[in-house]
Structures are given as C-alpha cells and as structure tokens.
C-alpha cells in the first residue's frame, strides 16, 4: 500500500516498505538534499525536513507517520529564501563539504519564519545538529548575514576559493552557494536509481537488496548505542622525570558523510571523497573497490553504503599515544603501531624517540589529520613555552604552514596563520576556525570507548564521540598573513597550535580528553 502525502507542494503516494521518511525521500522520490549522516540514530540533523511546518529528522520518522501531512524539504523552500541562505553560507564560509548544511538551513529557516535568528536562538537550535568542519561560528554569522546580503556580485574568485579548500581539505573541493545546498556531488547522491544496494553483513561480506531498507533487513542490522563504559587509555607513559607527560585514547574522525560508492559493471567506481577529505580517514576506504567487485559479479549497478555503526567499527582512528618529554623537545613517545607513524613523528620532533606498541583496538591510520606529528608537535611547542605560559604557542606543520595560538583573557581562541598566498580569506578563515574547534574537542572532550579485551569500539552513535556543540564553542579570532610564498595547508598548523595553547591554558593535565564525562559500568552494543 502507498502512503499519500504532500511533498514540496505536490501530491505523492510512494509504497510503504517499512522504511523511514528519509529512505523514501532519497531513494524513491529522488530528493537528494536530505542527507544520511547517522541513520537511523536521529542525532546529526543532516536529514532535517519540515513536517506540517515543524522541523523533524527524517531518518527516525517512519514513512507511515506522514500520511496525509505536508513535508517540505530544502528543494521546496521558497526559492528566494533558499538562495539567500545559500549565499549567506557561502559568503561567510559556513559550508565546507556541504553535507550537513541542507539540514541546518532547514532548521534555521524555521527560526527565520519565527523571527528568532539571534545568536542564542540559533545556537540552541543547532543542538539538534552536528557540523564537523566549520566550528559553528561561521554558521552563526551566516544566520545574521542572510537578511543583509544583496544580489550584487561580490567579485569573489570561487576557483581560487576552491583551490584553497582543496589544499586545506586534502581532496578536490568546490566552493559556492550550491555547495551549501548539498550539491557537492556526493557518491550516494549520484548513484543511478536502478542500482542495487549493498551494506556490510557483519560477517565480512555484503548483504544486497533492491532498497536500503531491504539490504539492512537482510544484514540483520542492529541499532548501535552509546556505551556506559569509560574511556580507556591503553599506553603507559615511559618512566622518567619528564617536564611534560601526555596520554591519549582513540579518537573517531567523525566525518558526517559515511563511506559510500557506486559502480556500473565494467566501470569505474565513484570516489568516496566527493567534496571533502574526511580528515584523511577515507584514504583507504574499501567502498569503491567493493562497489566495483559487486557490480561486476551481479551484472548490475551497485551502491555500497556504510552506516554510522559500520564506519565506527571498521574505520581508522587517531592512534593513542603516551609520552614523556623535556622542555628541550627530547623524550619518548609511545604510540599504537601504525604504518608511517614513526616517520611522521620524526619529521616534526626528531628529539623524541618513537616506541611503537602493539595495542588491542580498532584500526588506526597515520593519514588522519595530524596523527602522530600533531601530538609530538604539541609536546615540543608546549615545552618551549613552559618558561612563559602567556607566550603564543608557535607550530610549523609538515606542509610549511605556520600558526600561533593562545587563549585570551575572555577564553577566546586567538589564532595567527601564515600559509603562503591566502587565495581566499573566507575559506581559509573557515578552515582555521574549524581546526580550532577540532583542537578544543581533541584536548577536552573527544574519545571513544573501546573494549580492552577485543578492541571493538563500544561507542557507536555520533553523539558519543565528544564533538563540541555550538553552545560549547568559544569565539575564535583569526589573523591571516601572506608571506608571499606558494599556498600551502595552514589549518593543520592551527589544529596543533590551538591544541597546545589550550593544553597549556588548562594546566597541562596528563590525560586527554581532559573533561570526559564519567560513565557507569557495563556496555551497550
């Protein structure tokens, strides 16, 4: 039987296969502006639509619940307002990969109708969303700018902006209003409508169906949960009378677009890196190879789609470290054995002896943003500032980008960055604010619980990773320099400089995250 409702002003009657409103919108009705970042957890906000004018996350809304009702997606938003929001997000750098922004725009457009676009109301509304890229500040700025922008051309060079975004993100990227509307060309958005759907079956293979709901049912997918187990720091600090000591745990990269690809028989698979680099964590994604193999085997186009739980269980993490260092940059850093990690540390901190340790845990990768060299640089930079903690922390990244950071008297994060020709101030500033957001979470709040016996992650929901929300993020002031050189990555230097500055400001506590909430005993799956 069908479920009749009104979609963006037109009557529709899609069949009810037991799936969610999100699955029906995307894969039966072709509405690709609604995104799937956590389905069916209802925690990231990427799939936000209006049901009878009220924002709702579509991934936890059964299709049958909207029978006879009115559903509005970004595509059904008034064209002039949709355009104004897209321009505002582009002009302020409030959209980088563009995956989370369609849902955010829908939420904020609802506030606009209620005339509640003040910073406090916007920050409260954003509690229902996650954005990993921008650090929230530019989204608040976009909300204020949406009613102030005119239709006059700005003269901004969007090709130069895209070049800067590509340098910072580590993968080819586009910039412009269309990106804020979710038109970044993500793999699962571009798949042909007749493609079969393949999901991990939990046994090392793939469950295949005509729809996502059918494939997940075949796989016996069980909803993941947040663990009550506390964070586990697997490595011990080397013995010695160190000036600084640091222990970290596993950290989830937490990119919003889960791994996906599709392929036709005999064709080339769609890249899992459509409009962003996923902080280096998708470099080894197996989705494209699986899509090619299954398409050739089944003789039909195949979409490979990983759920949030799949990504957490199988995706690479930032490797844990335990280190002791002296103020002169000498010392020992122990790190979970990871290909390339020793070279990454040595290139930044030659005075640190690297000890790789076999650890029972999830896979780790040296490709993740700042992995290994970042922790080493934090130790060296913080040690250099022990004599005068008020001095800005200075860091030079492997790219050659340089950053200074300090925490102001009002807890604002102050950043100076120099990374060659800026190319586009808006994009570079956005990436630096996003890096500051990630750094603050890295030091204070981010980590995932891992079973010490099996190495399997317990924390399977996107809200369990410790990502800081809009109301928890202080202001970030960014000063951009131009040293006249060729453009290089600058936000990685900002990430590490801010992490070191916050660590020093907080009194150099030994364990990160420093403010992890206490959890009870026992574990959920």
């Amino acid at each position: 039987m069908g479920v009749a409702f009104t979609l963006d002003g037109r009557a529709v009657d899609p069949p009810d296969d037991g799936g969610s409103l999100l699955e029906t919108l995307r894969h039966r009705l072709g509405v690709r502006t609604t995104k799937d970042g956590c389905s069916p957890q209802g925690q990231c906000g990427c799939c936000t639509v209006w049901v009878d004018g009220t924002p709702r996350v579509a991934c936890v809304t059964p299709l049958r619940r909207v029978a006879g009702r009115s559903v509005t997606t970004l595509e059904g938003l008034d064209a002039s307002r949709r355009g104004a929001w897209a321009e505002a997000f582009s002009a302020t750098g409030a959209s980088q990969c563009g995956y989370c922004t369609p849902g955010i725009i829908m939420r904020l457009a609802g506030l606009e109708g209620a005339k509640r676009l003040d910073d406090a109301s916007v920050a409260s509304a954003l509690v229902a969303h996650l954005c990993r890229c921008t650090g929230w500040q530019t989204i608040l700025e976009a909300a204020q700018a949406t009613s102030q922008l005119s239709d006059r051309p700005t003269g901004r060079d969007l090709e130069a902006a895209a070049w800067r975004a590509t340098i910072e993100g580590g993968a080819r990227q586009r910039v412009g209003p269309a990106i804020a509307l979710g038109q970044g060309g993500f793999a699962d958005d571009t798949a042909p409508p007749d493609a079969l759907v393949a999901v991990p079956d939990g046994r090392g293979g793939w469950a295949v169906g005509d729809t996502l709901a059918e494939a997940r049912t075949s796989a016996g997918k069980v909803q993941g949960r947040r663990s009550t187990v506390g964070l586990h720091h697997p490595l011990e600090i080397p013995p010695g009378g160190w000036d600084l000591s640091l222990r970290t745990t596993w950290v989830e990269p937490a990119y919003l677009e889960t791994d996906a690809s599709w392929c036709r028989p005999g064709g080339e698979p769609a890249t899992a890196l459509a409009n962003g680099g996923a902080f280096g964590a998708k470099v080894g994604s197996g989705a494209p190879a699986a899509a090619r193999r299954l398409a050739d085997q089944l003789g039909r186009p195949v979409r490979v789609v990983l759920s949030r739980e799949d990504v957490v269980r199988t995706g690479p993490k930032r490797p844990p470290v335990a280190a002791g260092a002296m103020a002169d940059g000498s010392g020992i850093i122990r790190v979970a054995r990871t290909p390339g990690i020793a070279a990454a540390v040595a290139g930044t901190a030659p005075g640190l002896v690297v000890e790789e340790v076999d650890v029972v845990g999830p896979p780790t990768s040296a490709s993740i943003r700042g992995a290994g060299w970042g922790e080493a640089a934090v130790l060296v930079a913080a040690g250099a500032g022990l004599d005068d903690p008020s001095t800005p922390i200075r860091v030079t990244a492997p790219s050659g980008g340089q950053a200074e950071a300090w925490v102001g008297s009002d807890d604002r994060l102050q950043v100076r960055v120099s990374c060659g020709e800026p190319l586009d101030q808006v994009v570079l500033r956005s990436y630096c604010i996003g890096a500051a957001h990630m750094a603050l979470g890295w030091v204070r709040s981010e980590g995932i619980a891992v079973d010490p016996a099996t190495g399997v992650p317990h924390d399977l929901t996107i809200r369990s990773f410790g990502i800081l929300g809009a109301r928890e993020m202080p202001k970030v002031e960014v000063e951009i320099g131009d040293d006249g050189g060729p453009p290089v990555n600058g936000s990685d230097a900002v990430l590490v400089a801010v992490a070191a500055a916050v660590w020093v400001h907080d009194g150099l506590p030994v364990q990160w995250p420093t403010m992890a909430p206490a959890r009870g005993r026992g574990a959920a799956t």
Side-chain angles (χ1 to χ4, degrees):
M1 295 179 62
V3 176
F5 65 98
T6 300
L7 173 63
D8 295 334
R10 60 188 175 93
V12 294
D13 188 18
D16 184 7
D17 61 0
S20 68
L21 174 60
L22 172 61
E23 292 164 2
T24 299
L25 289 174
R26 284 188 58 82
H27 307 305
R28 289 197 181 276
L29 300 174
V31 181
R32 301 296 173 89
T33 53
T34 51
K35 309 298 185 187
D36 183 351
C38 70
S39 172
Q41 296 176 4
Q43 294 188 354
C44 73
C46 293
C47 64
T48 299
V49 298
W50 295 346
V51 177
D52 292 340
T54 300
R56 179 173 293 183
V57 284
C59 73
V60 291
T61 302
L63 175 63
R64 63 180 66 94
R65 291 288 300 273
V66 301
R69 306 175 77 174
S70 175
V71 175
T72 305
T73 72
L74 185 64
E75 296 174 27
L77 200 63
D78 176 80
S80 64
R81 298 315 304 153
R82 183 174 64 243
W85 279 106
E87 290 287 350
F89 268 65
S90 178
T92 58
S95 179
Q96 288 182 18
C97 74
Y99 198 79
C100 67
T101 47
I104 290 175
I105 288 175
M106 289 301 294
R107 180 83 54 178
L108 300 187
L111 288 184
E112 180 183 33
K115 302 186 184 304
R116 294 175 51 213
L117 283 180
D118 58 279
D119 282 354
S121 295
V122 171
S124 293
L126 291 174
V127 168
H129 294 264
L130 282 178
C131 176
R132 189 55 162 164
C133 297
T134 66
W136 302 112
Q137 182 172 317
T138 51
I139 295 176
L140 296 173
E141 293 166 355
Q144 300 308 314
T146 184
S147 61
Q148 302 168 8
L149 294 177
S150 69
D151 295 329
R152 295 190 302 272
T154 62
R156 186 176 173 200
D157 185 344
L158 292 182
E159 289 189 7
W163 184 11
R164 172 52 71 182
T166 299
I167 292 170
E168 299 301 325
R172 185 179 178 185
Q173 199 159 334
R174 294 160 51 203
V175 173
I179 301 305
L181 300 178
Q183 299 172 18
F186 302 107
D188 201 42
D189 290 350
T190 59
D194 63 336
L196 295 169
V197 185
V199 302
D201 65 5
R203 300 178 295 276
W206 299 89
V208 180
D210 288 319
T211 66
L212 182 60
E214 181 180 314
R216 284 180 169 173
T217 298
S218 176
K221 181 181 184 296
V222 177
Q223 175 61 37
R225 301 185 185 278
R226 179 173 185 164
S227 172
T228 56
V229 174
L231 298 181
H232 170 53
H233 294 73
L235 299 174
E236 296 296 330
I237 295 170
W242 308 111
D243 293 328
L244 306 101
S245 299
L246 175 64
R247 295 176 78 197
T248 68
T249 186
W250 290 273
V251 178
E252 169 65 36
Y255 46 88
L256 267 293
E257 182 209 6
T258 59
D259 298 44
S261 181
W262 65 271
C263 191
R264 299 184 189 276
E268 289 295 318
T271 177
L273 297 170
N275 201 50
F279 317 111
K282 284 186 184 176
V283 169
S285 174
R292 185 206 301 262
R293 184 173 62 255
L294 290 169
D296 289 344
Q297 175 184 331
L298 299 173
R300 285 186 56 185
V302 174
R303 292 169 46 216
V304 166
V305 183
L306 271 63
S307 70
R308 176 56 53 185
E309 295 91 341
D310 295 328
V311 171
V312 180
R313 289 189 181 102
T314 64
K317 317 298 178 217
R318 176 182 293 277
V321 306
M326 305 303 294
D328 64 1
S330 63
I332 300 173
I333 182 169
R334 291 174 174 168
V335 59
R337 190 177 304 280
T338 305
I341 204 74
V345 173
T348 298
L352 293 178
V353 175
V354 181
E355 294 180 358
E356 292 196 71
V357 181
D358 291 314
V359 175
V360 177
T364 56
S365 173
S367 298
I368 291 174
R369 189 181 200 182
W373 77 262
E375 289 86 348
V378 163
L379 289 163
V380 173
L386 284 178
D387 292 337
D388 185 3
S390 65
T391 301
I393 297 290
R394 296 177 175 84
V395 168
T396 299
S399 66
Q402 298 179 328
E404 293 184 337
W406 65 101
V407 182
S409 57
D410 56 355
D411 286 334
R412 292 194 178 205
L413 299 177
Q414 308 284 337
V415 173
R416 296 192 190 107
V417 62
S418 178
C419 50
E421 183 182 355
L423 296 173
D424 185 85
Q425 297 264 346
V426 172
V427 167
L428 181 53
R429 176 178 179 268
S430 175
Y431 269 90
C432 290
I433 294 173
H437 171 256
M438 185 177 286
L440 194 63
W442 182 24
V443 175
R444 292 181 176 171
S445 62
E446 292 191 36
I448 61 168
V450 171
D451 189 309
T454 65
V456 175
H458 283 306
D459 285 332
L460 298 177
T461 68
I462 200 165
R463 290 283 176 176
S464 62
F465 306 151
I467 301 170
L468 294 174
R471 294 190 298 187
E472 303 163 302
M473 187 64 193
K475 292 286 188 180
V476 184
E477 295 185 358
V478 180
E479 180 183 332
I480 297 174
D482 184 352
D483 59 18
V488 297
N489 181 289
S491 57
D492 286 357
V494 171
L495 169 77
V496 177
V498 170
V502 169
W503 190 38
V504 170
H505 176 267
D506 290 354
L508 298 171
V510 172
Q511 289 194 162
W512 292 4
T514 62
M515 302 172 67
R519 304 183 186 183
R521 293 174 177 266
T525 57

